[in-house]
Amino acid sequence: MKKLLNTLFVLTEDAYLSLENQNAVVNFEDGTRKLFPLIGLEEILSFSYKGASPALIGECARRDISFVMLTPRGRFLAQAAGRTQGNVLLRKEQYRIAESGERKLAIARNMIIGKLYNSRWSLERSIRDHGLRIETEKVKTASERILSAIHQIGQASDLDSLRGIEGEAAAVYFSVFNELILNQKEDFTFADRSRRPPMDRMNAMLSFGYAILRNDCASALESVGLDPYVGVMHGDRPGRESLALDFMEELRPVMVDRMALTLVNNRMIDRKSFDCQEDGSVLLNDKGRKIFLSFWQERKRSEITHPFLKEKMQWGLVPYIQSLLLTRYIRGDLDSYPPFLWK
């Protein structure tokens, strides 16, 4: 369990939640339990497959405490809220922002700052840890160009210019991505980013990882009452979770890219985990998906210190914490949206 930003996160898969007096009770399979006073809580997020008692859910609804149910892997299932709450005010403000170019730009700028900062951090870390095994000057030059792009973001006057800055910086980042592959080079050579379809094994992993991250971000946004289909940088299209696509940008380098590199560099995955299609595309096979998903879940359980909150938490909670911070900004509790800047 973890209590952050007046939100109780129940992460134990076999925990059952119940009500006792004015407390939420987390009951564990071994008979132990923990009590959390409902007063002061704004939200409960349960990742347990056992669920909660109707009494607790009803009391949460009466107190306007949102109760969100997710699978242990983080897929959004349902949300219970009071009759007059339902986060309607939050969503109305979100829709107002979506109609304001200036307000959308303010959020999008910070999200892209987060993406470029984390991309640069990944390059700098490789220089620090593997300077003798990579073309250091080439990677350093790319890092400096991304830093220059970060400085330009503040001057972006509209979303189109911001997209241009982000696109150029992403091209620079991926132009040296092959340098970060230290082992199995013959099987995992990376030339450039290919998406639909991925044309090599590394791109296959990146595309698969980004799809999982998008789902996690969409679930996180829904869990706090935001509409994942109404974006700030990605345009609205029927069926496209535009805000989830915006939201995942800052997390791509640290949650997916680094993980794919770890799988390859530590020889945890190999060429037998991929299938080559007749059209030249490459996809993860059943074995590869199992390896990737297993490591993804393991990585989400590892602990970090959130750079903005300075609190320890699991990696898997990062999308949910960032979603909560975004709602704080939309409600006016924060002056700006704080992106996830990994260190």
Side-chain angles (χ1 to χ4, degrees), residues 94-112:
Q94 179 191 359
Y95 299 147
R96 291 190 191 101
I97 290 173
E99 296 301 317
S100 168
E102 184 177 343
R103 297 180 73 186
K104 284 199 297 186
L105 181 61
I107 298 173
R109 275 199 192 110
N110 284 5
M111 288 179 171
I112 297 306

Side-chain angles (χ1 to χ4, degrees), residues 285-302:
N285 56 29
D286 288 345
K287 174 187 174 185
R289 287 192 293 270
K290 183 176 180 180
I291 292 171
F292 193 100
L293 289 170
S294 176
F295 190 50
W296 178 262
Q297 290 303 116
E298 180 184 332
R299 176 75 183 275
K300 284 170 67 174
R301 287 191 291 268
S302 62

Side-chain angles (χ1 to χ4, degrees), residues 194-212:
S194 55
R195 297 169 177 80
R196 291 183 285 274
M199 302 303 291
D200 58 58
R201 296 181 182 93
M202 185 59 76
N203 270 297
M205 278 196 292
L206 294 180
S207 292
F208 186 69
Y210 294 156
I212 297 170

